[in-house]
Amino acid sequence: PTFKLAIVGRPNVGKSTLFNRLVGKRLALVDDQPGVTRDLREGEGKLADLRFIVVDTAGLEDVDDDSLQARMRRLTDRAVAEADVVLFVIDARAGVTPLDQTFADILRRRGGRILLGANKAEGRAGLSGAMEAYSLGLGEPIPFSAEHGEGMEALYAALQPIADTF
Ligand code: GDP
Ligand code: MG
């Protein structure tokens, strides 16, 4: 028995970095250049004793601002439709952006199990951004650093009770 976790969020918040950390292979390309990762990518996730399927939503990096929202909505819809749990990620250093708010509204309306991740929170850098994330109305933000591997125990604590139901 396993569950499927979809990682969603606007471009550049660190979705693919987290995907790579959970999957442990470099299946999703991480790059600062636009146009590198595309659409949905699946892998076998592992976090301590938890095993699950992870979906990384990409394909958002290569579109202009005008089409970004529509494409985000389509891809997120696809990822979320298949997922048992959605991890909505923000950049804790950047704080909550209008695009994050739009995204959070879409997810909240859809319902289902949604976790809120505040990435790039290594050290104390992301503290205020993580606090800001409470305003999204998606519950308690989970601060972590996908790049540095910090806060993975908090992510585990959030996923573990969900895993138990599968
Ligand atoms: P995506 O577009 O959401 O998939 O984001 P990426 O995983 O491609 O990461 C975008 C940028 O954020 C890259 O330069 C990453 O190195 C950086 N990044 C990802 N995770 C972290 C983190 O935990 N801390 C910091 N400081 N940077 C990060
Ligand atoms: Mg990516």
Side-chain angles (χ1 to χ4, degrees):
T2 188
F3 63 97
K4 192 181 267 198
L5 172 74
I7 306 173
V8 304
R10 65 177 177 80
N12 219 39
V13 296
K15 297 181 297 299
S16 299
T17 305
L18 179 64
F19 177 90
N20 286 341
R21 176 166 291 280
L22 294 172
V23 170
K25 291 178 237 153
R26 304 201 69 78
L27 289 182
L29 298 175
V30 180
D31 204 299
D32 295 327
Q33 305 287 316
V36 173
T37 50
R38 301 211 181 278
D39 300 335
L40 302 180
R41 220 167 272 266
E42 259 188 44
E44 285 179 26
K46 187 179 153 206
L47 188 57
D49 61 337
L50 301 181
R51 300 290 181 275
F52 46 91
I53 307 294
V54 202
V55 182
D56 179 20
T57 48
L60 301 173
E61 289 78 1
D62 53 347
V63 289
D64 57 66
D65 282 352
D66 287 342
S67 53
L68 178 61
Q69 284 211 23
R71 187 155 169 76
M72 240 172 59
R73 199 180 283 257
R74 267 200 314 279
L75 277 177
T76 303
D77 273 352
R78 264 173 59 198
V80 170
E82 301 180 1
D84 299 302
V85 196
V86 172
L87 176 61
F88 173 58
V89 181
I90 68 148
D91 177 338
R93 289 171 179 244
V96 173
T97 71
L99 199 52
D100 292 328
Q101 262 151 3
T102 304
F103 224 130
D105 289 342
I106 296 169
L107 290 174
R108 228 183 310 100
R109 261 185 253 119
R110 285 197 63 116
R113 280 192 259 224
I114 305 169
L115 300 176
L116 173 59
N119 188 34
K120 310 196 186 181
E122 62 267 16
R124 301 176 65 80
L127 267 183
S128 72
M131 291 312 240
E132 237 178 85
Y134 272 103
S135 70
L136 292 171
L138 291 172
E140 188 178 352
I142 307 161
F144 57 77
S145 169
E147 197 160 82
H148 298 266
E150 295 175 24
M152 290 300 117
E153 60 292 329
L155 186 57
Y156 176 87
L159 283 175
Q160 203 275 329
I162 294 170
D164 265 356
T165 69
F166 284 88

